[in-house]
Amino acid sequence: MRDADLKALTGLCAKCGTCRTVCTLYPERKAEIAVARGKIALIDAAMSGEDNDADAVQEALTDCLLCGRCERACPNQVLVEEIVMKGRADLAEEVGIPAWKRVLFGKVMTSPAATGIARKAAAAGQRLLPGKIPTASGLHYRFPDGLGGEGRTVPKLPAKGFLESLGKGEAATGEVMLFVGCVFDHVFPEVGRASYETVKASGRSVAVFRDAACCGLPAMVSGDRRSATECAEANVRRLRAAEPGAIVFPCGSCLLMFKRNVFSLIPKGDPLYDDAVFVANHAVDYASFLLSSGVLDRLPEPSPVEKVGEIGYHDPCHLSGTLGKGPEAREVLSRAVGPAFAEMAGADLCCAYGGTFNMRDYSTSARIGENKVTAAVRGGTKVISTACSGCALQMRDMAARTDPSVRVVHIAELVHQALFRK
Amino acid sequence: MHAEALSALGNLFGDRLRTSLETRICYSFDATGKKFLPDAVVYPVNAEDVRQTVLLANFHRFPVVPRGAGSGFSGGSLPVQGGVVLSTERMDRIISIDTENLYAVVEPGVVTETLKLEARKRGLFYPPDPASLKFSTVGGNIAECAGGMCAVKYGVTRDYVLGLEAVLGTGELLRTGVATAKGVVGYDLTRMIVGSEGTLGIVTRATLRLIPLPEAAATLLALFHENRRSAETVNAIVAARVTPSAMELMDRTAIDCVQALMPVQLPEGTGSALLLEVDGAEGQVAREANLLTEVCHAHGAIEVRRASDAPGREELWKLRRSISPALRRVAPVKLNEDIVVPRSRLADMFAFLSDLSDRRNVRIVTFGHAGDGNIHVNIMVSGTDADEARRAEEAVAEVFHKTVEMGGTISGEHGVGISKAPFLEMEVGPLGVAVMKRLKACFDPNGILNPGKIFLDEAAVRV
Ligand SMILES: Cc1cc2nc3c(=O)[nH]c(=O)nc-3n(C[C@H](O)[C@H](O)[C@H](O)COP(=O)(O)OP(=O)(O)OC[C@H]3O[C@@H](n4cnc5c(N)ncnc54)[C@H](O)[C@@H]3O)c2cc1C
Ligand code: SF4
Ligand code: SF4
Ligand code: SF4
């Protein structure tokens, strides 16, 4: 392994074991290899040459949700997420990246046109999949076993993405830029739409970022540093050129990419560094934007609700944890739905989507996710709201598996409902 | 290790035996930062698994090293002679909590805090609270006789162990002790195993005493200019006939370290801090907290902060619990000694340490359980400078000599392990060592359990 920064980062680990207590994966694995302390020891061993089996070390590093709970609990502020991602990237240069991921990230994700084409292909393919299962929304199809894990449900892809649904001239220029993200464009266009309409309610002119490449996070967490860098560079360049006054992100994971992770791809000294700083400084989560732009002042009094406390909020790890934006989303919810919102049991537990983790080890991901939904339901929650695309995908799947009557929504959809209620 | 031994373990454990280099690396360290590779790791789920492992070990002659969370500070869980690390992390059930007779029966891998929380839910209290309580295990606590913050009022792990089930070095399953408030039948084998660092038996189940949960508590942070003032205050508090449930001291560097990581603002000139806690009935807590505040001010406190609600108290405690790992930011290697001196000699010890630091030109950070006279003396080393390393070793030896001379002990709670093995005889004398070895031979005739610990001449260090 070659990354020069890694040694300095791992060197801070005191091997105290605090990370064992918070790790999302540890209760499932009950083995040191699953937690930050073990992974750091392995990276050190790989760097020192004690362990030359790059495949095996990579395998251990891949068994991680990058939820960052260890990092936030670590008394030494060891940057575990960065260490694991850097480790994966370094090892990927030795052992390569699995072919399916390479195709996905290398070719598909970097161009906006390509993601659209991929979506259409996937939507067409999906119609061929058997075993539609009925849910409240009717949106779920069952993957055949063997393709991505037993009993996985995925949302049926709509025929039209959000961007596609916009008129040619609509939302082409504006002072506020909306970064919808792949999932809220293609998979849940209703979230893209709700975000757009509610951001527009600020009265400021809003453009939707149509030239978006994938945010790059999926490639980055898979150790595909090259594709991730390509995505990040393309986005930073285009965003900088648009000179937005603010860039609003409905997805917490995309936001994390531009607020923090981007600097490990475009570090100080890089010609694009200043542009990346510009983007980071203007990037803002959806809830914070609503709070600062006065949209919520336009809300009518929340209508008297019969169902007090039935709406909960799931904290996306990246948004509430790493970026500390948990209170903002709650403030938005309280104002949009009033007493229908109540703290959900286990709100801050990771849903265990973990990006590609969910594809790699679906059964573990599902076990943790189901526990989360079950606890929430037992606590009286009927609608789970959130603000991250990965979480939305996971929570919908888990709700379909455990209790199909549970609705999973983005907070923007609730705000939209409140704002435009007749 | 022999292939035969490994395949026998494989038959027993299936995929709960791991021999990959990756897993072995993950069980090669503890919080000392030292590293010794085991040949294999097993994850028993019950006493029978443990017993079979030890029987095999006697047959094939390989070491068995029990390990809880690997948070030890004396190298107790390091497989210094290779062999099998037996990790108790999957024996983590609380079997029962008896709310009438006030005891809990637990497996060794239960995390200390989990037990405390479960007891608390029932209005009960399991007092032992090492700073590592969020991750260390009950088994590890018993094996090291872990102390903690509240030891000054409530005692240490030993005081809460009523009975044990343990696999001896012979593979026999010993049940010892009671589930009653008292018991004096025969020798106290239970206490024999407590603090034996996994060298006499592997604890597979423990019966632990619980007490009623105090009604209220208040935490105070008193800031002073220097350690000497803090030490005087500790003695003044005892003289005032209050028994706080914690009296923790932190020196200047320790405070700076934590401050760099946490948003706490401390006044100019803070050179030492005391973290104090009182618990008991509501009115009594308020009264005692007031009294402590007065005593602190009378002894030159710059400022005294108080928290009575749970989150506020937790904030203050987090400060204290973060020190040890945070020292990693001062220097990569720390020689962490946990000496105890009579409380009345604390101020003398601080004077000695400050002089020692100047004389030997080494950086020393002190913090710890001042109420017990138990202070953590951390000599900070870069790890790259040979001369500095030598000066540090000499400083450690001086600290130990001074401690024993003052009537103290060289380890209050971290145990001997490999770190203090060279100094064992200095404290307990040749006969003490000899009797200990006879006992060891009686529990573990073939030297299977955690070899190379406590006794220096067994330390055939391999890696
Ligand atoms: C940040 C930090 C703070 C700490 N603060 C304190 C403190 O305030 N007070 C204190 O006393 N200690 C403290 N420690 C030291 C350490 O946490 C304790 O010694 C603890 O008891 C070790 O528990 P463990 O589960 O990690 O055991 P390990 O480190 O895994 O093992 C410790 C010893 O116990 C043996 N052992 C483990 N399980 C068993 C078993 N089932 N049967 C027999 N032997 C067994 C091992 O062989 C080894 O000799 C601290 C450590 C850290 C990292
Ligand atoms: S909590 Fe931090 S310092 Fe402690 S073992 Fe985990 S990563 Fe290392
Ligand atoms: S990021 Fe999450 S899953 Fe990964 S080691 Fe840390 S706590 Fe565990
Ligand atoms: S998407 Fe789920 S797994 Fe990913 S950060 Fe959010 S909560 Fe954690």
Side-chain angles (χ1 to χ4, degrees):
Chain A
M1 299 178 71
R2 301 179 294 123
D3 199 310
D5 306 339
L6 255 178
K7 202 155 190 90
L9 293 176
T10 59
L12 284 175
C13 172
K15 302 285 186 288
C16 67
T18 307
C19 45
R20 276 165 69 105
T21 53
V22 294
C23 178
T24 306
L25 218 45
Y26 183 69
E28 288 288 326
R29 303 283 189 253
K30 289 209 184 140
E32 193 77 57
I33 196 164
V35 303
R37 182 169 70 162
K39 287 172 176 129
I40 289 170
L42 283 179
I43 291 178
D44 279 334
M47 283 193 290
S48 73
E50 182 189 356
D51 191 334
N52 291 316
D53 189 344
D55 267 316
V57 176
Q58 184 72 305
E59 176 62 24
L61 294 190
T62 312
D63 200 32
C64 171
L65 290 156
L66 289 172
C67 65
R69 291 172 65 85
C70 47
E71 180 171 318
R72 294 192 289 283
C74 173
N76 269 356
Q77 295 176 2
V78 171
L79 298 175
V80 183
E81 280 183 78
E82 190 162 340
I83 289 172
V84 171
M85 285 193 288
K86 280 201 148 91
R88 287 180 184 177
D90 251 27
L91 289 162
E93 275 157 29
E94 286 174 37
V95 298
I97 297 157
W100 62 273
K101 283 187 182 170
R102 210 167 40 231
V103 172
L104 195 61
F105 306 139
K107 301 221 171 59
V108 174
M109 302 285 204
T110 41
S111 93
T115 51
I117 293 164
R119 184 186 62 74
K120 280 198 189 121
Q126 218 177 31
R127 280 192 273 275
L128 305 174
L129 296 180
K132 185 180 178 194
I133 59 157
T135 70
S137 60
L139 280 181
H140 296 272
Y141 279 75
R142 196 185 282 276
F143 255 125
D145 290 354
L147 202 147
E150 211 157 309
R152 178 205 300 267
T153 60
V154 291
K156 181 188 166 198
L157 288 178
K160 237 184 195 171
F162 164 61
L163 279 175
E164 249 184 311
S165 75
L166 286 172
K168 264 243 150 32
E170 197 186 352
T173 55
E175 173 232 346
V176 174
M177 182 74 96
L178 183 67
F179 191 107
V180 191
C182 309
V183 173
F184 295 152
D185 177 9
H186 298 303
V187 188
F188 303 128
E190 66 277 15
V191 175
R193 170 64 60 185
S195 308
Y196 171 59
E197 305 272 344
T198 50
V199 167
K200 230 168 42 169
S202 65
R204 292 165 71 175
S205 63
V206 180
V208 174
F209 186 39
R210 295 173 188 245
D211 288 340
C214 164
C215 71
L217 193 63
M220 187 162 179
V221 301
S222 302
D224 185 352
R225 184 149 39 197
R226 225 193 57 212
S227 303
T229 308
E230 276 171 30
C231 290
E233 285 178 348
N235 280 319
V236 163
R237 241 187 234 112
R238 294 169 198 162
L239 281 169
R240 180 69 183 94
E243 289 274 331
I247 313 167
V248 182
F249 289 82
C251 169
S253 289
C254 300
L255 178 66
L256 180 75
M257 192 64 208
F258 291 98
K259 277 270 189 216
R260 193 174 100 160
N261 293 353
V262 68
F263 296 109
S264 125
L265 304 171
I266 305 178
K268 234 193 185 102
D270 189 289
L272 272 178
Y273 179 74
D274 287 342
D275 294 343
V277 170
F278 172 90
V279 171
N281 288 343
H282 288 78
V284 58
D285 62 291
Y286 171 80
S288 296
F289 179 82
L290 285 208
L291 288 173
S292 66
S293 64
V295 171
L296 295 166
D297 303 332
R298 272 165 230 202
L299 282 169
E301 268 303 296
S303 58
V305 281
E306 322 85 85
K307 311 268 170 56
V308 173
E310 72 166 23
I311 301 179
Y313 181 68
H314 158 67
D315 283 300
C317 301
H318 294 149
L319 191 58
S320 295
T322 315
L323 296 172
K325 292 294 181 187
E328 285 78 358
R330 287 172 171 77
E331 170 79 21
V332 165
L333 278 170
S334 305
R335 294 180 55 187
V337 302
F341 167 67
E343 208 45 52
M344 176 174 105
D348 67 342
L349 296 179
C350 176
C351 68
Y353 184 68
T356 50
F357 181 91
N358 172 274
M359 295 178 214
R360 175 180 170 272
D361 183 353
Y362 183 67
S363 64
T364 302
S365 174
R367 225 169 12 248
I368 302 173
E370 282 178 11
N371 287 344
K372 168 132 197 169
V373 173
T374 309
V377 170
R378 211 177 289 136
T381 302
K382 297 202 168 66
V383 179
I384 299 177
S385 69
T386 191
C388 168
S389 52
C391 302
L393 282 166
Q394 173 82 338
M395 298 310 274
R396 287 208 190 189
D397 185 16
M398 295 307 125
R401 291 171 66 97
T402 48
D403 183 348
S405 73
V406 172
R407 268 178 65 214
V408 177
V409 296
H410 189 282
I411 54 174
E413 295 173 87
L414 297 173
V415 175
H416 189 266
Q417 235 171 49
L419 263 181
F420 302 105
R421 191 174 52 220
K422 296 280 145 51
Chain B
M1 248 172 88
H2 271 287
E4 246 173 89
L6 285 175
S7 87
L9 281 171
N11 290 339
L12 195 60
F13 284 98
D15 75 343
R16 288 183 289 116
L17 163 74
R18 300 278 165 86
T19 53
S20 73
L21 178 59
E22 289 70 38
T23 288
R24 287 159 57 215
I25 287 172
C26 289
Y27 291 84
S28 66
F29 53 77
D30 69 358
T32 58
K34 296 197 176 77
K35 198 172 160 183
F36 298 89
L37 264 190
D39 296 308
V41 178
V42 296
Y43 301 94
V45 294
N46 54 36
E48 186 56 18
D49 280 346
V50 177
R51 216 173 65 79
Q52 293 296 340
T53 308
V54 175
L55 286 176
L56 279 176
N58 274 283
F59 187 75
H60 294 284
R61 293 298 156 96
F62 57 81
V64 177
V65 182
R67 182 184 191 269
S71 72
F73 271 148
S74 54
S77 66
L78 299 177
V80 292
Q81 297 181 19
V84 170
V85 164
L86 179 145
S87 170
T88 61
E89 60 203 313
R90 298 187 189 179
M91 294 175 74
D92 62 348
R93 286 179 310 153
I94 295 179
I95 291 164
S96 62
I97 294 183
D98 187 326
T99 52
E100 271 176 15
N101 298 301
L102 303 193
Y103 65 81
V105 179
V106 303
E107 291 185 329
V110 169
V111 170
T112 317
E113 190 181 50
T114 310
L115 173 61
K116 290 173 80 79
L117 291 176
E118 284 303 316
R120 176 173 281 269
K121 280 189 200 155
R122 294 160 177 82
L124 297 175
F125 185 30
Y126 176 67
D129 60 346
S132 52
L133 64 92
K134 283 189 187 297
F135 41 92
S136 69
T137 65
V138 169
N141 290 172
I142 292 172
E144 299 288 7
C145 186
M149 320 293 175
C150 74
V152 57
K153 177 168 179 180
Y154 292 104
V156 295
T157 302
R158 177 190 293 126
D159 300 307
Y160 296 87
V161 182
L162 292 172
L164 290 175
E165 177 191 272
V167 173
L168 305 184
T170 52
E172 293 159 298
L173 187 70
L174 174 73
R175 289 199 181 82
T176 160
V178 293
T180 50
K182 13 164 112 165
V184 290
V185 178
Y187 295 144
D188 194 341
L189 298 180
T190 310
R191 287 202 168 209
M192 190 66 242
I193 291 173
V194 176
S196 66
E197 307 187 23
T199 63
L200 300 184
I202 301 176
V203 175
T204 50
R205 200 169 269 213
T207 305
L208 302 170
R209 186 162 73 96
L210 305 174
I211 59 176
L213 188 67
E215 180 183 302
T219 307
L220 306 175
L221 182 69
L223 307 170
F224 297 88
H225 287 294
E226 48 175 350
N227 275 349
R228 190 173 55 85
R229 288 290 193 182
S230 294
E232 285 167 11
T233 307
V234 166
N235 285 303
I237 290 171
V238 176
R241 280 178 296 159
V242 184
T243 307
S245 51
M247 288 200 261
E248 294 291 310
L249 176 143
M250 299 164 250
D251 79 0
R252 176 53 175 270
T253 317
I255 298 168
D256 285 349
C257 246
V258 192
Q259 238 185 322
L261 293 169
M262 284 184 197
V264 272
Q265 287 301 316
L266 298 181
E268 195 70 13
T270 305
S272 179
L274 274 184
L275 189 63
L276 304 168
E277 185 157 281
V278 281
D279 66 3
E282 201 86 57
Q284 171 214 342
V285 165
R287 208 171 51 245
E288 290 188 345
N290 290 340
L291 182 63
L292 290 188
T293 310
E294 272 169 39
V295 175
C296 289
H297 281 305
H299 285 81
I302 311 171
E303 190 187 321
V304 182
R305 296 181 186 175
R306 184 190 298 194
S308 302
D309 59 335
R313 287 175 49 219
E314 178 56 25
E315 243 349 83
L316 294 179
W317 276 111
K318 203 168 147 200
L319 206 96
R320 162 64 184 86
R321 283 199 293 263
S322 301
I323 296 175
S324 167
L327 288 182
R328 182 91 190 171
R329 296 197 165 239
V330 177
V333 180
K334 64 171 186 202
L335 305 177
N336 167 359
E337 310 304 345
D338 72 314
I339 57 161
V340 193
V341 295
R343 198 161 39 212
S344 59
R345 303 294 305 271
L346 267 180
D348 297 342
M349 187 38 110
F350 284 126
F352 168 79
L353 289 172
S354 140
D355 171 62
L356 177 70
S357 165
D358 292 343
R359 264 192 301 113
R360 295 269 178 196
N361 185 24
V362 286
R363 185 146 190 211
I364 301 182
V365 185
T366 49
F367 64 91
H369 320 302
D372 306 324
N374 184 189
I375 46 178
H376 298 300
V377 178
N378 295 272
I379 301 182
M380 310 305 295
V381 198
S382 66
T384 49
D385 174 348
D387 187 59
E388 184 195 47
R390 187 186 48 78
R391 293 197 312 272
E393 289 297 342
E394 286 166 3
V396 169
E398 265 199 67
V399 171
F400 286 164
H401 280 110
K402 186 74 185 177
T403 303
V404 172
E405 186 192 305
M406 284 183 170
T409 176
I410 60 174
S411 177
E413 51 182 28
H414 294 166
V416 177
I418 52 174
S419 328
K420 291 188 200 76
F423 303 98
L424 178 71
E425 188 168 327
M426 186 185 104
E427 182 169 327
V428 304
L431 181 60
V433 175
V435 173
M436 286 183 191
K437 283 188 174 165
R438 282 178 227 161
L439 280 166
K440 163 81 179 167
C442 163
F443 280 79
D444 180 21
N446 290 329
I448 298 296
L449 298 181
N450 210 359
K453 305 298 165 64
I454 303 183
F455 307 111
L456 188 60
D457 45 1
E458 277 193 4
V461 172
R462 228 181 45 149
V463 177

